[in-house]
Amino acid sequence: FFSQTNMSILQYNGGAIVAMAGKECVAIASDMRFGQQFQTIGMKNPKVHEITDKCYVGLAGLATDTVTVLQKLQFRTNLYKLREERDISPKALAALISHMLYERRFGPWFTEPVVAGLDADNQPYVCAMDLLGADCVPGNFVVSGTCSESLYGMCESLWRPDMEVEDLFETVSQAMLSALDRDCLSGWGCTVVLISKDKVVTRELKARMD
């Protein structure tokens, strides 16, 4: 008899996200695969979304729940902007998402968000949380998704403090591509968003397509 392994619902659609802090800049990257367990359905599905000019959120987990959370998040951030007459800061956005997720703690959305951005002083902010909204703000890098273990290992090996924009791009790209090679539920290329004090650059990287 063959033994059947029960897959976590968070792994059903696959996905990987990493955010990394540099010197007055921050990068957030995600893979491009959209799958249904081991079957690949699409390969143009980035999981990083713009909230403000200097604040982005990455949503890994069950695809339907990530869409729901993103729509509710855009609604609440638009209300915030109307009421406060300013864009939401990364720290306030992380608190908002954490509150949203904890509201649903008895029937949670199966997503583990990552927030990355620059605050008013152009200092980087990266934050990850679990599906109940418990946040983690380490200051250097955060990861989420199905290949978190591989991403942690690569980021711990490659990250160093006060990296410039291009060094940060190279580091986060190498970490992501190396981790994707070791996970069958994510991959098929990745998108990297580089946020600095004067511009935002989005780049797409090719990866193994198998």
Side-chain angles (χ1 to χ4, degrees):
F1 294 100
F2 294 103
S3 62
Q4 183 177 357
T5 303
N6 292 323
M7 179 180 284
S8 164
I9 193 67
L10 287 165
Q11 298 177 323
Y12 185 78
N13 295 116
I17 298 171
V18 57
M20 195 175 282
K23 183 179 181 182
E24 294 188 338
C25 60
V26 67
I28 181 169
S30 81
D31 73 316
M32 301 286 279
R33 179 182 183 268
F34 173 64
Q36 184 176 331
Q37 294 185 329
F38 297 121
Q39 177 185 8
T40 298
I41 296 172
M43 52 185 181
K44 288 288 182 183
N45 183 44
K47 299 161 185 72
V48 175
H49 310 281
E50 180 182 352
I51 301 298
T52 69
D53 291 341
K54 291 187 176 181
C55 188
Y56 283 68
V57 63
L59 295 169
L62 189 64
T64 51
D65 283 357
T66 63
V67 172
T68 302
V69 170
L70 178 63
Q71 290 173 344
K72 288 182 176 292
L73 195 53
Q74 289 169 335
F75 171 72
R76 292 200 187 190
T77 51
N78 287 339
L79 280 181
Y80 179 95
K81 189 171 183 178
L82 284 170
R83 185 172 59 246
E84 301 289 333
E85 297 183 351
R86 60 191 169 97
D87 284 334
I88 194 168
S89 68
K91 190 173 182 179
L93 178 66
L96 172 62
I97 296 173
S98 180
H99 180 75
M100 276 175 54
L101 294 176
Y102 194 68
E103 278 180 345
R104 290 290 302 263
R105 62 192 177 277
F106 298 118
W109 286 303
F110 295 108
T111 181
E112 296 181 333
V114 171
V115 176
L118 298 178
D119 61 17
D121 300 321
N122 291 316
Q123 293 305 304
Y125 179 89
V126 292
C127 172
M129 51 197 94
D130 65 5
L131 76 171
L132 295 182
D135 61 344
C136 169
V137 190
N140 49 8
F141 59 83
V142 290
V143 304
S144 178
T146 55
C147 63
S148 297
E149 293 86 358
S150 301
L151 275 170
Y152 267 124
M154 289 305 302
C155 291
E156 285 172 351
S157 301
L158 299 175
W159 185 85
R160 58 190 189 281
D162 294 330
M163 285 185 287
E164 298 293 340
V165 177
E166 289 305 317
D167 293 333
L168 182 63
F169 168 70
E170 191 67 30
T171 301
V172 76
S173 300
Q174 291 294 338
M176 178 60 96
L177 291 173
S178 297
L180 293 181
D181 284 346
R182 292 163 174 80
D183 181 40
C184 66
L185 296 175
S186 54
W188 292 71
C190 64
T191 299
V192 182
V193 180
L194 293 161
I195 309 163
S196 57
K197 57 185 177 182
D198 51 355
K199 63 181 177 179
V200 176
V201 178
T202 303
R203 294 174 180 164
E204 287 191 8
L205 303 177
K206 288 187 176 181
R208 284 176 54 169
M209 307 292 265
D210 58 353

